[in-house]
Amino acid sequence: MTYNPRSEQVVVRCELPPREVVPTTASYRYLPTKDEIRDIPRKPREVAELYRSIVSQVALPCLRDLFNADPSLGSIGFNGHVPAVNPVTGEQEYPCILSLEVARDAFPLDGNLHRVQPEACVQGLKAIVSNHPYELEPIQPIIDFDLTKYKFVEGLDAVATLDTRPDLMDMSPTNFEHLVRQVSEAQGAEGWTTEQSKDDGVDAVIVRRDPLVGGLSIVQAKRYSKVVGVSHIRELAGAMEEKKAGRGVLVTTSWFASGCKQKAHEHGRIELIDGNHLVYLIKEHLGKDVLIGIPNRPRSASER
């Protein structure tokens, strides 16, 4: 687990019971003619339903004990993982099959917990549960424990520093990184700006809670006056691999060289935002008219 004192939140990675905790034998039958006892197996569906219930029954007491341990704890991010061996590769894996984020005031009071129906309670807490937990079908955690790999700084309100029709090239690189973070936050994500020179290849981290398109993304913000080449795509891809990030976003005040879009498309999890698109996003989500003072930069119709 890790604790963020600023948000009074603990993020926990919990090892859930393995599938073997569910007995696959439902009952036994004695056969007098053969003088033997024969196993009556449970139906596969019943085994799967029992395991889903067990997962919920383990998660709820863990959350209760954490809240009881520290009265100042405001919320918990909980990710339940199961150790397993991939039957195809033989590699050891640790899939996440249950994830939730819950505030103290949304969690059932200790005296009521023994009266809840575990699966219904977990569902009511807006948890994401694998569709097939017994098959160890993995899910994307709502809030990733691996956020602890980044070194964050206090968020700066870069939007407040923008005057009427400001030039983004007049911003400091640090303020530009905060601005990019705020654009993401205005679109419904949560964002953090990393410390300078502490996270090579990462300027910001954004998390989306949507179970369909959510996950953790790392951001590179380039306040450049010249073209951004394919090498920057490779740099971002390397940072994503190192940080185990699901997605990457490359934002620039300039434009991308030919071949960048194809490279990003081939990678499959990289988004490119050039100067024209950035101007649009700032206008659309932050309500600010900005310009980018780069000679000969291709401009959108809204900037002309």
Side-chain angles (χ1 to χ4, degrees):
M1 65 176 67
T2 186
Y3 179 66
N4 184 341
R6 185 179 66 178
S7 60
E8 295 182 337
Q9 180 184 59
V10 66
V11 180
V12 181
R13 178 177 289 179
C14 176
E15 184 172 304
L16 297 173
R19 298 184 299 175
E20 290 74 20
V21 73
V22 181
T24 55
T25 299
S27 60
Y28 299 92
R29 177 183 297 172
Y30 176 66
L31 303 178
T33 58
K34 297 184 177 182
D35 192 26
E36 67 179 36
I37 297 175
R38 181 170 298 177
D39 296 355
I40 307 299
R42 293 186 190 274
K43 296 180 180 179
R45 181 175 180 179
E46 182 185 0
V47 173
E49 289 176 349
L50 282 171
Y51 186 67
R52 177 184 288 271
S53 177
I54 288 170
V55 166
S56 299
Q57 292 178 56
V58 170
L60 292 173
C62 287
L63 294 166
R64 176 202 61 197
D65 292 347
L66 285 166
F67 278 127
N68 288 344
D70 188 349
S72 66
L73 186 62
S75 65
I76 300 172
F78 180 94
N79 296 323
H81 294 251
V82 181
V85 175
N86 188 307
V88 177
T89 65
E91 296 289 334
Q92 185 71 37
E93 296 182 343
Y94 202 52
C96 179
I97 61 171
L98 184 150
S99 182
L100 61 84
E101 183 180 15
V102 58
R104 177 182 291 273
D105 58 5
F107 191 75
L109 296 175
D110 192 36
N112 294 335
L113 193 58
H114 72 284
R115 296 189 294 184
V116 306
Q117 202 287 323
E119 292 178 73
C121 182
V122 167
Q123 185 177 4
L125 296 176
K126 310 300 182 184
I128 300 175
V129 183
S130 169
N131 289 328
H132 305 286
Y134 190 73
E135 301 302 324
L136 302 183
E137 182 178 293
I139 61 169
Q140 174 68 42
I142 295 176
I143 181 166
D144 200 330
F145 184 81
D146 288 340
L147 279 174
T148 58
K149 294 182 295 189
Y150 305 92
K151 298 182 183 297
F152 299 124
V153 298
E154 285 292 332
L156 168 71
D157 187 1
V159 179
T161 68
L162 299 178
D163 298 323
T164 304
R165 193 71 172 176
D167 186 345
L168 296 187
M169 299 306 293
D170 292 337
M171 299 185 76
S172 69
T174 298
N175 281 15
F176 180 67
E177 292 171 6
H178 283 283
L179 176 64
V180 169
R181 169 187 55 79
Q182 286 184 276
V183 172
S184 297
E185 290 176 332
Q187 296 178 76
E190 292 182 59
W192 300 267
T193 305
T194 59
E195 292 183 12
Q196 295 292 311
S197 304
K198 293 295 185 180
D199 277 302
D200 292 341
V202 182
D203 296 322
V205 174
I206 57 176
V207 173
R208 297 184 185 278
R209 308 299 184 185
D210 192 311
L212 295 178
V213 297
L216 182 145
S217 301
I218 61 175
V219 181
Q220 286 186 350
K222 306 292 186 183
R223 190 184 59 86
Y224 281 10
S225 59
K226 296 181 180 180
V227 64
V228 174
V230 176
S231 62
H232 291 91
I233 309 293
R234 298 192 185 99
E235 177 187 342
L236 177 57
M240 291 169 61
E241 177 66 22
E242 179 184 352
K243 300 294 187 180
K244 306 301 181 185
R247 295 175 178 82
V249 183
L250 184 56
V251 184
T252 183
T253 48
S254 61
W255 63 99
F256 295 102
S258 59
C260 284
K261 288 185 179 180
Q262 179 61 31
K263 191 69 177 177
H265 177 74
E266 291 172 358
H267 186 278
R269 294 182 288 117
I270 291 179
E271 179 183 359
L272 303 180
I273 300 177
D274 63 12
N276 289 338
H277 193 189
L278 180 59
V279 168
Y280 166 78
L281 291 176
I282 292 172
K283 172 66 175 177
E284 179 73 10
H285 298 287
L286 298 179
K288 291 285 187 177
D289 284 314
V290 299
L291 57 86
I292 300 176
I294 301 176
N296 302 320
R297 179 180 66 86
R299 285 169 171 74
S300 64
S302 63
E303 289 184 277
R304 300 190 187 107

